[in-house]
């Protein structure tokens, strides 16, 4: 959805400019008000004059007031009853005139604000009401613009989520379709007896079996990814020794590392290294990182698992001395299905979800992870709180 923008840069922060029609309306309002006030004043004076002529008591009261004023002030002419009455009437008329004009002006301002609001409501979410007003109308404009900003952010976030879902479905469909096509193809050959001997039959069944395992791995990783992506996913927190956990992982990967001419070393400070976490999920985290190092750290000879305590944090680094990762790819390593080299990924296999799962597990524990790479080491650095329960 494209967001249209009204050309209001020249009006940003400006006051409302009345149109010629609105100016004419304001002038007519003033003239009508003045005419009505003149008629009202004439009616009041006429009524007062009739009362003075017909009522002796009223005459005496007015005479007494006049006498008091004359004694109090020396200028009798200036404070004559007629001048005082005229002065009060003029002040009253000016107040009424100002009130009616300012009320009509505020109505016109509100009309402009409503017009801007309709323009935004028609889908022009990039537009903001540009007027800078004082008082209640100013606060209304600020509230409307703030609401539009929040709405645009929500729309953009929803759009990103939808795009992310579409990309996920597309990637899953592609990664499942490829092995599924092979499985169907080889099973079809077997079904139609398109094989020459038992050796061909075993070859076809083995290929179909391998592709089925590849599909199962993808489904398992996808399930794990969706599970750890939920912020509400529960953690089974226990205290454990990180040194022992890393040492056990090094033993588990020893055979695979030896096949690739690599070895896994563990360095921890202090020893023992006691911290808190969900060991099942942390094992999955380090399995993914070590497996990633074995796949893409070829030509290297060493994988190092380091853990050190810094303040209230545990900093764990999984690094290998394999080929350097380009700088442009470092920030995308944790994206779903992202691979630095497509050809290399096809050679080494994998679902493309391992690092995304690892990042989600770290976030669940209240930490963060990042990658760095130079000619000597490619490192995945993890920051975790030593005691997760103390920050909840």
């Amino acid at each position: 959805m494209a967001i249209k923008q009204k050309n209001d840069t020249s009006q940003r922060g400006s006051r409302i400019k009345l149109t010629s029609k609105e100016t004419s309306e304001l002038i007519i309002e003033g003239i009508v008000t003045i005419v009505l006030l003149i008629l009202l004043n004439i009616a009041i004076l006429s009524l007062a004059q009739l009362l003075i002529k017909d009522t002796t008591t009223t005459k005496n009261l007015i005479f007494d007031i006049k006498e008091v004023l004359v004694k109090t002030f020396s200028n009798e002419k200036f404070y004559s009853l007629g001048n005082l009455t005229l002065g009060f009437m003029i002040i009253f008329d000016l107040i009424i005139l100002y009130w009616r004009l300012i009320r009509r002006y505020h109505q016109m301002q509100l009309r402009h604000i409503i017009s801007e609001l309709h323009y935004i409501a028609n889908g022009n979410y990039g537009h903001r009401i540009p007027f800078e007003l004082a008082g209640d109308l100013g606060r209304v404009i600020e509230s409307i613009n703030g609401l539009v900003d929040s709405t645009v952010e929500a729309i953009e976030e929803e759009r990103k989520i939808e795009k992310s879902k579409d990309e996920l479905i597309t990637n899953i469909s592609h990664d499942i379709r490829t092995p599924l096509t092979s499985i169907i193809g080889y099973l079809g050959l077997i079904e139609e007896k398109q094989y020459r001997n038992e050796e061909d039959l075993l070859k076809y069944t083995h290929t179909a079996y391998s592709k089925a395992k590849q599909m199962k791995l993808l489904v398992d990783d996808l399930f794990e990814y969706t599970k750890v992506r939920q912020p509400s996913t529960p953690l089974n927190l226990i205290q454990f020794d990180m040194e022992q956990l890393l040492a056990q992982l090094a033993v588990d990967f020893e055979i695979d590392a030896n096949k690739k001419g690599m070895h896994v070393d563990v360095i921890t400070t202090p020893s023992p290294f006691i911290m808190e976490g969900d060991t099942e999920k942390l094992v999955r985290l380090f399995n993914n990182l070590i497996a990633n190092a074995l796949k893409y750290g070829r030509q290297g000879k060493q994988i190092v698992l380091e853990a050190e305590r810094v303040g209230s944090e545990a900093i764990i680094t999984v690094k290998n001395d394999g080929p350097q990762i380009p700088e442009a790819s470092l920030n995308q390593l944790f994206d779903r299905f992202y691979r630095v080299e497509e050809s290399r990924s096809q050679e080494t296999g994998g679902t493309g979800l391992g690092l995304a799962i690892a990042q989600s597990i770290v976030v669940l524990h209240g930490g963060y992870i990042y990658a760095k790479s130079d000619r000597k080491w490619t490192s995945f650095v993890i920051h975790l709180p030593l005691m997760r329960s103390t920050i909840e």
Side-chain angles (χ1 to χ4, degrees):
M1 178 183 64
I3 295 179
K4 300 178 182 178
Q5 281 196 332
K6 192 175 180 179
N7 185 16
D8 63 350
T9 55
S10 61
Q11 297 181 359
R12 181 68 65 184
S14 64
R15 297 191 65 83
I16 294 177
K17 294 182 179 179
L18 300 182
T19 63
S20 56
K21 180 181 178 182
E22 290 171 333
T23 304
S24 300
E25 288 180 12
L26 207 57
I27 293 173
I28 293 172
E29 178 76 14
I31 293 173
V32 171
T33 303
I34 291 172
V35 171
L36 292 175
L37 287 172
I38 291 173
L39 295 175
L40 179 62
N41 292 339
I42 292 173
I44 292 173
L45 290 173
S46 299
L47 182 60
Q49 192 172 16
L50 288 173
L51 289 173
I52 291 172
K53 286 180 179 180
D54 294 341
T55 309
T56 305
T57 306
T58 305
K59 288 181 181 180
N60 293 335
L61 178 60
I62 293 173
F63 180 78
D64 291 339
I65 294 173
K66 181 177 180 181
E67 286 297 323
V68 173
L69 292 173
V70 170
K71 289 178 182 180
T72 306
F73 304 99
S74 60
N75 192 344
E76 180 181 358
K77 183 179 179 181
F78 180 79
Y79 293 103
S80 65
L81 183 61
N83 289 338
L84 283 174
T85 303
L86 182 61
F88 282 126
M89 293 182 71
I90 290 174
I91 293 174
F92 177 77
D93 292 346
L94 289 176
I95 292 173
I96 295 299
L97 177 62
Y98 174 79
W99 174 75
R100 285 183 62 85
L101 290 178
I102 201 67
R103 187 185 67 166
R104 177 54 65 91
Y105 180 63
H106 283 163
Q107 289 175 348
M108 293 175 178
Q109 287 181 322
L110 187 59
R111 192 188 306 163
H112 280 264
I113 294 172
I114 293 173
S115 175
E116 296 284 332
L117 188 56
H118 280 305
Y119 181 78
I120 294 173
N122 287 332
N124 303 290
Y125 300 120
H127 180 66
R128 299 295 178 272
I129 299 178
F131 309 127
E132 188 174 289
L133 303 178
D136 292 337
L137 287 179
R139 287 190 288 272
V140 168
I141 290 174
E142 290 179 3
S143 299
I144 292 173
N145 286 338
L147 180 60
V148 174
D149 288 337
S150 300
T151 303
V152 169
E153 289 177 5
I155 291 173
E156 292 296 332
E157 186 65 25
E158 185 68 23
R159 186 181 303 158
K160 289 179 182 178
I161 292 173
E162 289 299 323
K163 181 180 179 182
S164 178
K165 289 179 180 178
D166 292 342
E167 290 176 350
L168 179 61
I169 293 173
T170 300
N171 287 323
I172 292 173
S173 300
H174 176 269
D175 284 2
I176 287 181
R177 183 175 59 186
T178 301
L180 186 59
T181 301
S182 297
I183 292 172
I184 293 173
Y186 283 108
L187 291 180
L189 291 175
I190 295 173
E191 178 73 15
E192 297 171 1
K193 296 183 171 50
Q194 298 289 324
Y195 53 88
R196 291 170 300 206
N197 48 46
E198 185 178 353
E199 183 179 350
D200 285 346
L201 177 62
L202 291 174
K203 177 182 176 182
Y204 295 163
T205 55
H206 174 73
T207 303
Y209 175 70
S210 299
K211 296 297 181 180
K213 287 203 304 182
Q214 184 180 339
M215 283 182 60
K216 183 179 184 301
L217 178 62
L218 174 61
V219 172
D220 290 343
D221 278 355
L222 182 61
F223 176 75
E224 183 69 21
Y225 174 75
T226 55
K227 186 170 67 173
V228 298
R229 284 282 291 177
Q230 300 297 325
S232 58
T233 300
L235 291 177
N236 182 23
L237 298 175
I238 61 171
Q239 289 193 6
F240 66 97
D241 186 352
M242 176 60 77
E243 181 182 27
Q244 290 184 4
L245 186 145
L246 295 179
Q248 183 60 50
L249 287 167
V251 172
D252 293 343
F253 280 92
E254 183 177 5
I255 295 176
D256 291 336
N258 289 337
K259 288 180 180 178
K260 295 178 178 292
M262 305 177 73
H263 59 91
V264 183
D265 297 321
V266 178
I267 305 172
T268 60
T269 306
S271 177
F273 196 115
I274 304 301
M275 61 177 294
E276 191 176 67
D278 186 326
T279 54
E280 181 181 351
K281 289 182 172 57
L282 290 176
V283 167
R284 178 63 186 266
L285 159 68
F286 292 118
N287 275 339
N288 289 356
L289 293 178
I290 297 171
N292 184 78
L294 288 173
K295 288 178 183 178
Y296 303 120
R298 67 184 192 281
Q299 302 174 17
K301 300 296 181 183
Q302 188 177 16
I303 296 174
V304 180
L305 311 179
E306 292 182 347
E308 61 175 329
R309 180 183 298 168
V310 179
S312 61
E313 278 190 333
I315 302 178
I316 305 105
T317 303
V318 178
K319 61 183 182 179
N320 67 84
D321 57 352
Q324 181 178 355
I325 297 176
E327 185 72 24
S329 299
L330 288 177
N331 293 331
Q332 303 178 65
L333 287 176
F334 301 99
D335 293 346
R336 293 175 315 211
F337 302 107
Y338 178 79
R339 298 175 176 105
V340 178
E341 297 177 19
E342 288 296 332
S343 60
R344 186 170 69 177
S345 115
Q346 292 170 2
E347 176 186 333
T348 56
T351 64
L353 288 171
L355 294 181
I357 292 172
Q359 183 185 49
S360 297
I361 293 174
V362 172
V363 172
L364 272 179
H365 280 79
Y368 60 94
I369 181 173
Y370 62 90
K372 58 182 181 178
S373 184
D374 53 35
R375 293 182 179 178
K376 186 175 182 181
W377 295 105
T378 292
S379 306
F380 291 86
V381 184
I382 305 161
H383 289 247
L384 294 174
L386 289 172
M387 295 296 163
R388 173 75 173 119
S389 57
T390 60
I391 65 172
E392 293 181 344

